Amino acid sequence: MAQDEEKTIDQLNEEADIAADYLEGLLDIVRLRRRYRNGAVRNNRPTVQIVADDDTDIKHLIGRNGEVVDALQQLTRLAVQQKTGERSHLIVDVDGYLKRKRQRLHDIALDAIDEVRETGEPVDLKPMNSFERKIVHDVVREEGMKSRSHGEEPRRYVTVYLKASAAEDAEDEDEA
């Protein structure tokens, strides 16, 4: 399937089911008790949510700064790709970690925007992965500002800028 083609809801549901089964088997191996897994499609992406009653167990599945949940997501995407023969954009979330992470990134972006508006100077944020950078770029755009990613992975970061005025844009065009 070409990357430009959208997957059907049945294909996305199949990916979510494959992922949920894979994660259930993996969690059985590590003997995580009181787990709940749910394969679903949200925002046109297959999603699996893992929830446990035991806070200690769930913290181990998130890891420091989300490293474990990120690794689970990568492994699960590979398992889905092995079964379907196609790349998956599956999302694995553990106990609402991604929602909390999105909110923190939203707040970081708003703080940077406030600083840029106050000082007029660009603000560089700490290095982030592509998921995190996309969230920041989206917030910056919604606030009418400009952002750009710089650097090489894994040290790639976002810079937030004031949007150039119409007069500055015209000067830039004249100099080109």
Side-chain angles (χ1 to χ4, degrees), residues 106-121 123 125 136-147 160-162:
H106 188 268
D107 293 344
I108 287 168
L110 290 178
D111 289 345
I113 289 166
D114 288 344
E115 186 176 339
V116 170
R117 285 181 176 149
E118 287 174 17
T119 66
E121 295 296 316
V123 172
L125 300 177
V136 170
H137 287 304
D138 289 348
V139 172
V140 170
R141 186 180 62 250
E142 288 170 9
E143 293 293 318
M145 304 271 293
K146 185 170 94 173
S147 60
V160 179
Y161 304 88
L162 282 174

Side-chain angles (χ1 to χ4, degrees), residues 57-70 72 93-97 100:
D57 284 346
I58 212 72
K59 286 178 186 172
H60 292 301
L61 287 179
I62 295 171
R64 185 176 175 186
N65 297 320
E67 287 108 354
V68 176
V69 71
D70 288 346
L72 283 172
D93 191 12
V94 176
D95 198 38
Y97 172 76
R100 293 188 303 273

Side-chain angles (χ1 to χ4, degrees), residues 23 47-51 62 69 73 91-100 102:
L23 285 166
T47 304
V48 177
Q49 188 73 251
I50 302 170
V51 181
I62 295 171
V69 71
Q73 179 172 280
I91 299 294
V92 174
D93 191 12
V94 176
D95 198 38
Y97 172 76
L98 290 179
K99 182 177 181 179
R100 293 188 303 273
R102 279 186 189 99

Side-chain angles (χ1 to χ4, degrees), residues 125-129 133 149-158:
L125 300 177
K126 67 178 181 63
M128 301 176 180
N129 65 36
R133 291 192 310 270
S149 292
H150 303 278
E152 300 284 326
E153 294 291 351
R155 306 290 307 156
R156 200 154 166 80
Y157 64 96
V158 173

Side-chain angles (χ1 to χ4, degrees), residues 1 9 11 23-24 29 38 83-84 90 154-155 172-173:
M1 172 181 287
I9 192 74
Q11 289 170 312
L23 285 166
E24 182 176 19
I29 292 169
N38 183 24
K83 285 257 187 177
T84 65
L90 171 88
R155 306 290 307 156
D172 290 344
E173 288 176 11

